[in-house]
Amino acid sequence: MRVTLHDVSKGRGGQSLPTTSLEFHTGAVRFAIAETEQRPTVLGLIASGRMRPETGRVSIDGSPNARALRRAVALVDAPTVSDPHADIALAGVVGEELMFAGVGATPLHARRWLKNLGFAELASVPIGDVDPAVRVRILCELAILREGVRAIVLVSPDRHGGSPDGWWRIAAEFADRGYAMLVIVGGAAAVALERMQELGAVNATGPVEPLVLESVADAAPAATSAPEETTENGAAR
């Protein structure tokens, strides 16, 4: 699966999101830079098919099918849209996501799920106090429980602190498991990732030249490195 954003923007004159082009695809993780309070969420909403761009187009496998895009792409931890409230106990967050996934969602189910993932001791901890990398692991594992999810747009994991290599390694693991991964980060986190020499960034903070999009056949597995609005206010190596 390949998701392509070509010359998308949002807001008058691109105030909410300047003209941006990027792509992410199965088996790879890419990051895109988006600064300001709202731009990361706006970019995440557009990349996951939950917001229509002002200009440009978004496609999934070459088709502008927003409904298919929404079903295939999970939007994870986007501020004001899909991030859990910081005071909610982790078991409560898990229970709610299990319910959305259509599986057992009682407190017992939630605690058992956390135990199977290796985080039983965190069940009663407010999610706002959970280690950033652990938070990413748990939220991404919950996202893929939903039927049809083949990609994750993860929004601003760097805002929770911690070292970028923690959540970046987790994103790479999900790519290895066959998911398409887009991680939207701020400039400081991008500098850290570039120093890790993992990949190049797509800069969403200002106008950028459209990417030359590679074909799946040409993509090197180890060298890949961000409709109608359904939300009013509120997923290369």
Side-chain angles (χ1 to χ4, degrees):
M1 184 190 75
R2 182 176 295 266
V3 177
T4 304
L5 285 68
H6 183 75
D7 289 345
V8 300
S9 69
K10 191 67 179 179
R12 180 178 298 178
Q15 288 182 344
S16 297
L17 183 72
T19 302
T20 302
S21 294
L22 61 85
E23 62 85 18
F24 57 106
H25 58 83
T26 299
V29 52
R30 290 184 180 269
F31 71 82
I33 303 171
E35 299 283 5
T36 78
E37 182 177 354
Q38 295 190 23
R39 285 179 184 173
T41 294
V42 171
L43 179 56
L45 287 167
I46 291 173
S48 61
R50 290 163 173 81
M51 178 180 284
R52 180 184 298 164
E54 210 80 36
T55 65
R57 62 184 184 275
V58 183
S59 64
I60 176 171
D61 293 330
S63 171
N65 188 330
R67 182 177 181 181
L69 186 61
R70 289 194 298 272
R71 285 183 57 84
V73 182
L75 181 64
V76 173
D77 210 17
T80 75
V81 175
S82 63
D83 61 333
H85 194 282
D87 293 334
I88 299 178
L90 186 57
V93 174
V94 170
E96 184 176 27
E97 290 299 322
L98 292 178
M99 178 185 67
F100 288 140
V103 298
T106 67
L108 178 60
H109 284 109
R111 290 178 178 272
R112 184 178 298 159
W113 187 89
L114 282 169
K115 180 179 179 180
N116 290 339
L117 201 61
F119 300 118
E121 73 283 1
L122 299 178
S124 61
V125 175
I127 192 168
D129 294 330
V130 173
D131 173 83
V134 174
R135 177 190 179 107
V136 167
R137 165 72 69 189
I138 291 172
L139 293 181
C140 287
E141 293 286 357
L142 289 168
I144 63 174
L145 293 177
R146 299 196 188 192
E147 184 179 359
V149 169
R150 296 184 288 156
I152 293 173
V153 174
L154 175 62
V155 181
S156 302
D158 49 318
R159 76 186 189 276
H160 302 298
S163 175
D165 62 345
W167 43 259
W168 181 255
R169 183 179 65 253
I170 292 167
E173 289 176 10
F174 276 87
D176 287 341
R177 288 161 63 177
Y179 294 94
M181 297 292 300
L182 174 65
V183 185
I184 301 171
V185 300
V191 169
L193 292 175
E194 288 174 333
R195 287 176 178 172
M196 291 163 54
Q197 297 184 341
E198 292 281 356
L199 63 145
V202 176
N203 189 341
T205 62
V208 294
E209 293 296 323
L211 294 179
V212 177
L213 304 180
E214 60 197 0
S215 67
V216 175
D218 294 336
T224 15
S225 9
E228 62 186 51
E229 294 188 11
T230 59
T231 302
E232 293 182 6
N233 202 12
R237 271 187 18 151

